[in-house]
Amino acid sequence: MRRTLSAIITLTFSIIVNAQISGIITDKNSSEKLVGATVYIMELDKGTTTDTNGRFTLKNIPDNEITIQISYIGYQTTYIKWSPESNQYDLSISLEHVMIRHEEVVVSAGFSDTQHRNAISVDFLDNKQISSSPAISSTQLLAKFPGVDVAGGSPAESQPVIRGLSGTNILMLNNGIRLENYQFSRHHPFIVDEYGTERIEVIKGPASLLYGSDAVGGVINFIKELPAATNQMEAVFGSRYFSNTNGFNTTMAVKQSSENFQWGVRGVVKSHGDYHDGNNNAIPNSRYTSKALKNFIGYNFKNGSTKLFYDYSTDNIGLTIGGIDTITLGDSNNPIVYYQDLENHFISSKTTLFIGNTKLNANFGYQINKRKEIEIATAEEDGIAINSQLNTFNYELKAQTNLSDKIKSIFGFQGMYRNNANHEAEGKIIPDADLLDLSGFGFFQYTPNDKFVMQAGLRYDYRSLDVPLQERGSHEHGETTEETAHEEEYIELYRNFNNISGSIGATYNLSETSLLRANFASAFRAPNLAELTQGGLHAGRHEEGNMNLEAQRSYEVDLGLHNHHELFTFDISTFYNNITNYIYLAPTGIIEDENPVYEYRQTPAGLAGAEAGIHYHPSSAKWLHIKGTGAYIHAQQKDGSPLPFIPPLKGNLEIKIEKDNWAFLKRSFFQIDLDLASKQNNPSEFETVTNGYYLVNAMAATELNPGTINIELSVSANNLMNIQYVDHLNLLKDLGYYNMGRNISIGLTARF
């Protein structure tokens, strides 16, 4: 009996001891111990750093396969797939010093795996690139990706465009949960903030089956920042000044982690005046202000983790419309007439649980989006033209398991309930409505050997849209008669949409440095509430829905080639996207109350294009980096006429000089880059030709390390030559307004 009890105690103690992983991290060539390297468990969102001896310890490790990420500035990030079966609890890891990092793990494609092992190509920006960017708004950051453009007026009033598709053809995710905030209009930006973001991942095209049927254009995922290292508290202050808008972006944050508990809080304030073009003309009412508060708490246990997030923001975004230049707007950065008053609450939770060799995820989100459009308030009236509220509940349940040593799988269910309600105001653009989404999916990865990876999946989506009988928007077209009165003034609609999406793709390694990637995907998108029912004067034009619209169906083929060496990387990809029943908004030629009337139409369409990128680091000049990217899209209707709002051929050339140590300065660099856009001489029937342009930009940055504080300093100049130009996707082009002129920004970030 005593021997049995002793054996049980010994086994129990052994399990407790084995519930942690330790190790040492060194330089591969010199064997020097690396102090301050980051060691992070991706599945638990938990990590630590190495001590003065280069050692680390990770406790409460689940009895399941996990991905350990080891990173250090100037070294190639390393990933270890660890499992209890390996019986390795004391690791010795060597990192290789590299000039060009060429492989990172991405999470938006489904499996936490490197870019080279995903059939779906995923681009990303990391937190260093995000924090040092001189972009005024989160959307402007996305223009760094080839094939991704920004359509907009003011910096805050802009939307991403992926391979010629925008609006509800794109899914924007806040930490993996889809954002819902009236994304039907050119004036409605996604409400997501770049501060507190660890990385931004972009999937181009309909290949992703994990997030919803609406992702026919692509997916953009803002992934939240990592918690503090275990048993540490971290704080940050950052501020950046922008000369063109006389504006500031400022953030403060603090976060702390123990062995099991994590918490963090961050505040963000942005304030910008009207931007100026290359002739120093102010673009009236392009100003905006924004305030945000972000909080999270989390708990890690042996077989999983759970985290709760709350994001709150309030934004006042000016509307630049026809005739606004004749109104007194004042000198303040705060809009006072014709602006969007937005309030957004986003509560979400993410829970991971390991059971046997299965990883379970339960993710939930609840969003409250309050939207007001303010015209001119008087003593008698509050000037509220639109007052609506969108409540959205999202859920996702999925299981990831290894069916064999070569086959991984993900099965899941997703759902969404959305309610739109109009409150007291002059009018309503879209009616009160309820929307219900239900979906299920399965996704598989087959890896027969080190050279070949295949991924395939299917997804089923069901959507019901219920618009109860109610008074329609705030205007009528033409003379109303007894026969047309009911049709003009009331609306009622109930429609169901359902279909299957699918994808299949593969990555094949031609050699240790080259790989081919191919993917075929088909997805559908149901028409949204605005496209079916919209009616009313909205930001200077009447927009009319079409209740007879059918769902879009997309068929896309992607082919890509990647090549990487120690001093060189090269990527090229090409695609063709055939869309049946493509939905777009077009002018009717009718003018009502001095405002043009637009309506939603459908047509078969085809979009084809290519993207390429090169990064070269000469061996004879270790301080020099040369990068180049380019993207081209050709899009047309079945009859051969061009689709609207398609960007022209664009390219970027960047030359960067960097030095790790220079006197007391650390990781300093200077870069100059050239943005090129060709003439768009193939516009749609209601667009005009847009001339090409070039922009010269420059940036310098460095770091200081006084004591335990890390200080990052940067200065940049966008459109250094102060060129007066207009981009083809400029929403203010028809009003005769140009894009932003020279903008010099100065940034400081202090980490404690």
Side-chain angles (χ1 to χ4, degrees):
M1 180 67 181
R2 289 181 178 178
R3 291 182 178 179
T4 303
L5 181 60
S6 177
I8 293 173
I9 293 174
T10 302
L11 178 61
T12 303
F13 180 74
S14 175
I15 291 174
I16 292 173
V17 171
N18 288 345
Q20 69 179 36
I21 300 174
S22 300
I24 187 170
I25 300 176
T26 59
D27 183 289
K28 183 176 181 179
N29 296 321
S30 67
S31 298
E32 176 188 356
K33 298 177 178 63
L34 298 181
V35 180
T38 300
V39 185
Y40 171 67
I41 302 175
M42 301 190 67
E43 289 81 359
L44 295 180
D45 206 18
K46 170 185 177 180
T48 187
T49 56
T50 54
D51 60 19
T52 55
N53 296 313
R55 292 198 64 86
F56 69 90
T57 300
L58 295 168
K59 298 182 179 180
N60 294 329
I61 304 302
D63 298 323
N64 198 285
E65 182 181 273
I66 58 173
T67 306
I68 304 175
Q69 173 185 290
I70 304 99
S71 58
Y72 194 69
I73 295 176
Y75 289 78
Q76 178 62 45
T77 302
T78 297
Y79 302 90
I80 297 174
K81 290 288 187 180
W82 182 92
S83 65
E85 289 77 14
S86 68
N87 202 31
Q88 294 180 348
Y89 292 90
D90 191 28
L91 306 176
S92 180
I93 303 165
S94 297
L95 298 186
E96 183 178 3
H97 192 278
V98 293
M99 300 299 178
I100 301 175
R101 292 192 322 185
H102 55 75
E103 187 172 22
E104 299 283 352
V105 162
V106 291
V107 300
S108 299
F111 302 99
S112 294
D113 219 332
T114 62
Q115 294 164 296
H116 296 177
R117 297 179 67 82
N118 273 304
I120 302 171
S121 178
V122 182
D123 292 334
F124 73 92
L125 293 176
D126 61 27
N127 56 355
K128 277 287 185 182
Q129 294 168 302
I130 295 169
S131 63
S132 64
S133 171
I136 292 179
S137 67
S138 59
T139 306
Q140 291 185 330
L141 272 169
L142 303 173
K144 296 291 292 183
F145 297 103
V148 181
D149 292 272
V150 176
S154 70
E157 193 186 33
S158 55
Q159 291 188 1
V161 179
I162 301 179
R163 291 179 170 178
L165 299 176
S166 59
T168 47
N169 286 303
I170 293 174
L171 279 184
M172 182 80 81
L173 307 178
N174 183 342
N175 210 32
I177 298 175
R178 61 185 290 167
L179 284 169
E180 292 291 332
N181 54 281
Y182 297 104
Q183 211 47 53
F184 64 87
S185 171
R186 60 176 185 162
H187 295 284
H188 297 172
F190 287 104
I191 302 176
V192 60
D193 190 83
E194 70 273 21
Y195 289 101
T197 299
E198 181 66 21
R199 55 200 284 131
I200 303 172
E201 295 185 351
V202 174
I203 298 174
K204 303 167 190 173
S208 176
L209 301 175
L210 303 179
Y211 303 108
S213 61
D214 292 343
V216 296
V219 174
I220 301 172
N221 192 4
F222 278 68
I223 300 171
K224 288 190 176 296
E225 64 183 314
L226 301 181
T230 301
N231 297 322
Q232 292 188 28
M233 175 181 283
E234 301 173 11
V236 64
F237 169 81
S239 187
R240 183 174 290 274
Y241 170 74
F242 302 86
S243 66
N244 189 285
T245 60
N246 192 28
F248 281 92
N249 289 353
T250 301
T251 184
M252 294 182 65
V254 61
K255 55 186 179 180
Q256 185 178 27
S257 294
S258 64
E259 289 293 347
N260 299 104
F261 185 71
Q262 307 163 344
W263 65 271
V265 60
R266 177 182 291 271
V268 181
V269 176
K270 299 180 180 180
S271 178
H272 293 270
D274 297 338
Y275 82 82
H276 294 71
D277 65 17
N279 276 344
N280 202 35
N281 298 312
I283 310 305
N285 217 32
S286 58
R287 62 192 68 182
Y288 83 98
T289 60
S290 174
K291 297 177 182 178
L293 181 66
K294 302 181 176 184
N295 309 272
F296 75 88
I297 57 173
Y299 183 77
N300 292 310
F301 44 93
K302 185 177 185 300
N303 289 315
S305 67
T306 185
K307 289 182 175 60
L308 178 67
F309 305 89
Y310 171 59
D311 295 352
Y312 168 79
S313 65
T314 176
D315 301 82
N316 290 333
I317 303 175
L319 292 169
T320 301
I321 59 178
I324 194 70
D325 56 338
T326 63
I327 299 173
T328 302
L329 301 173
D331 297 327
S332 169
N333 288 0
N334 292 300
I336 57 176
V337 297
Y338 291 105
Y339 67 94
Q340 301 179 68
D341 179 0
L342 311 177
E343 181 181 339
N344 198 61
H345 302 262
F346 196 118
I347 303 170
S348 62
S349 68
K350 298 180 78 70
T351 299
T352 300
L353 181 64
F354 294 96
I355 301 176
N357 72 338
T358 300
K359 182 177 74 170
L360 302 176
N361 291 100
N363 304 321
F364 300 92
Y366 183 64
Q367 304 170 60
I368 302 173
N369 182 262
K370 299 179 180 180
R371 177 177 296 275
K372 296 180 181 178
E373 291 193 10
I374 312 297
E375 294 184 350
I376 300 177
T378 65
E380 295 79 20
E381 298 181 0
D382 56 18
I384 300 177
I386 298 173
N387 185 2
S388 56
Q389 179 170 320
L390 190 66
N391 295 344
T392 306
F393 173 70
N394 305 82
Y395 68 86
E396 176 185 58
L397 303 172
K398 63 182 180 182
Q400 179 176 329
T401 187
N402 295 340
L403 302 179
S404 70
D405 59 346
K406 297 180 180 180
I407 302 176
K408 296 180 180 181
S409 66
I410 300 176
F411 294 95
F413 297 93
Q414 289 175 339
M416 177 175 68
Y417 170 72
R418 198 173 68 194
N419 170 261
N420 180 67
N422 289 280
H423 302 301
E424 189 67 28
E426 294 179 8
K428 55 183 180 181
I429 300 302
I430 56 176
D432 298 348
D434 293 296
L435 180 145
L436 179 67
D437 274 2
L438 299 172
S439 61
F441 59 86
F443 194 56
F444 303 88
Q445 178 172 295
Y446 174 56
T447 311
N449 52 55
D450 292 337
K451 287 182 171 291
F452 183 76
V453 178
M454 186 177 74
Q455 294 176 336
L458 283 174
R459 179 186 182 93
Y460 173 77
D461 286 276
Y462 169 84
R463 170 171 293 181
S464 69
L465 180 62
D466 183 12
V467 179
L469 181 64
Q470 60 194 279
E471 194 172 354
R472 197 166 178 263
S474 57
H475 77 286
E476 301 169 357
H477 288 314
E479 183 179 354
T480 302
T481 65
E482 292 185 7
E483 291 77 11
T484 63
H486 179 81
E487 177 185 350
E488 290 288 333
E489 297 178 0
Y490 291 89
I491 188 171
E492 182 179 23
L493 177 69
Y494 181 81
R495 290 192 66 179
N496 294 326
F497 301 91
N498 64 93
N499 217 317
I500 292 176
S501 303
S503 72
I504 184 169
T507 298
Y508 180 72
N509 289 276
L510 301 171
S511 66
E512 291 185 359
T513 60
S514 299
L515 64 88
L516 286 172
R517 181 182 284 115
N519 200 88
F520 172 76
S522 179
F524 89 104
R525 179 179 77 83
N528 62 45
L529 179 62
E531 292 165 342
L532 291 167
T533 65
Q534 187 175 356
L537 184 63
H538 189 211
R541 67 187 189 188
H542 295 290
E543 296 176 351
E544 292 297 311
N546 180 353
M547 290 192 292
N548 297 315
L549 293 176
E550 298 297 330
Q552 292 183 174
R553 166 60 71 175
S554 170
Y555 302 91
E556 181 167 305
V557 177
D558 286 88
L559 298 173
L561 171 66
H562 169 82
N563 184 273
H564 65 269
H565 296 270
E566 181 183 357
L567 304 174
F568 174 87
T569 63
F570 173 73
D571 288 275
I572 186 169
S573 61
T574 183
F575 71 93
Y576 176 72
N577 191 358
N578 182 72
I579 303 178
T580 60
N581 297 320
Y582 175 75
I583 302 172
Y584 66 104
L585 190 62
T588 63
I590 300 173
I591 302 297
E592 181 181 324
D593 300 328
E594 300 181 354
N595 296 294
V597 177
Y598 283 65
E599 67 179 9
Y600 287 98
R601 299 174 180 172
Q602 288 192 294
T603 181
L607 300 93
E611 298 125 18
I614 186 172
H615 185 176
Y616 176 55
H617 182 78
S619 58
S620 59
K622 295 184 178 181
W623 40 266
L624 179 63
H625 288 262
I626 301 173
K627 294 182 181 179
T629 60
Y632 173 72
I633 301 171
H634 177 78
Q636 64 182 30
Q637 302 179 36
K638 185 178 180 180
D639 62 6
S641 58
L643 284 180
F645 240 51
I646 300 300
L649 172 66
K650 288 188 175 182
N652 173 268
L653 175 65
E654 176 187 303
I655 300 175
K656 183 177 183 179
I657 299 171
E658 64 179 4
K659 190 172 180 62
D660 284 344
N661 296 290
W662 183 34
F664 58 89
L665 302 177
K666 310 293 183 183
R667 290 179 285 276
S668 304
F669 74 84
F670 170 78
Q671 73 179 47
I672 186 165
D673 62 272
L674 179 66
D675 291 330
L676 297 168
S678 69
K679 183 177 183 179
Q680 178 52 287
N681 54 9
N682 195 32
S684 71
E685 60 179 335
F686 55 88
E687 295 176 323
T688 58
V689 170
T690 305
N691 291 325
Y693 60 86
Y694 71 93
L695 304 177
V696 178
N697 312 302
M699 183 178 182
T702 191
E703 294 183 23
L704 306 172
N705 299 110
T708 59
I709 303 175
N710 175 263
I711 298 176
E712 302 169 10
L713 299 172
S714 66
V715 59
S716 65
N718 283 6
N719 192 1
L720 185 62
M721 309 303 293
N722 206 28
I723 300 295
Q724 176 147 306
Y725 75 101
V726 61
D727 188 87
H728 189 69
L729 302 187
N730 185 347
L731 297 176
L732 306 180
K733 175 185 175 183
D734 293 342
L735 298 177
Y737 296 129
Y738 292 86
N739 286 75
M740 186 177 292
R742 182 187 298 116
N743 183 33
I744 298 174
S745 69
I746 302 172
L748 179 148
T749 301
R751 304 180 190 277
F752 306 88

